[in-house]
Amino acid sequence: VFRVYSSGLFDMNVKIFNRWGELLHEWNGFDGFWDGYYQGRPAQQDVYVYYITARGFWENNIVKIGRVTLIR
């Protein structure tokens, strides 16, 4: 399960992409997560890209991009 934890933020959007840029999963807010499934099936073991945009109490327009490795 890929979940984002934060403090000092009040709005957030998270997107998970595969290596070809296809959007696999997206959620808004702090209650979402990615369980490693895509279209009801387990996603293959691979490296995926996350793209997070957020707004914080002290900073607007926060963007974080990184990788998460799915291991089964």
Side-chain angles (χ1 to χ4, degrees), residues 48-66:
Y48 295 88
V49 174
Y50 63 82
Y51 182 84
I52 301 172
T53 56
R55 291 186 301 153
F57 293 112
W58 299 279
E59 186 177 351
N60 291 328
N61 303 326
I62 300 164
V63 176
K64 299 291 181 184
I65 301 170

Side-chain angles (χ1 to χ4, degrees), residues 10-49:
F10 61 89
D11 187 29
M12 179 175 69
N13 174 266
V14 181
K15 296 177 182 175
I16 306 291
F17 296 91
N18 64 16
R19 65 176 59 217
W20 298 279
E22 181 180 9
L23 179 64
L24 302 183
H25 192 72
E26 179 179 16
W27 74 87
N28 291 301
F30 302 100
D31 295 330
F33 62 91
W34 181 47
D35 60 3
Y37 279 71
Y38 177 59
Q39 294 181 342
R41 295 182 174 172
Q44 68 181 13
Q45 184 170 301
D46 206 346
V47 177
Y48 295 88
V49 174

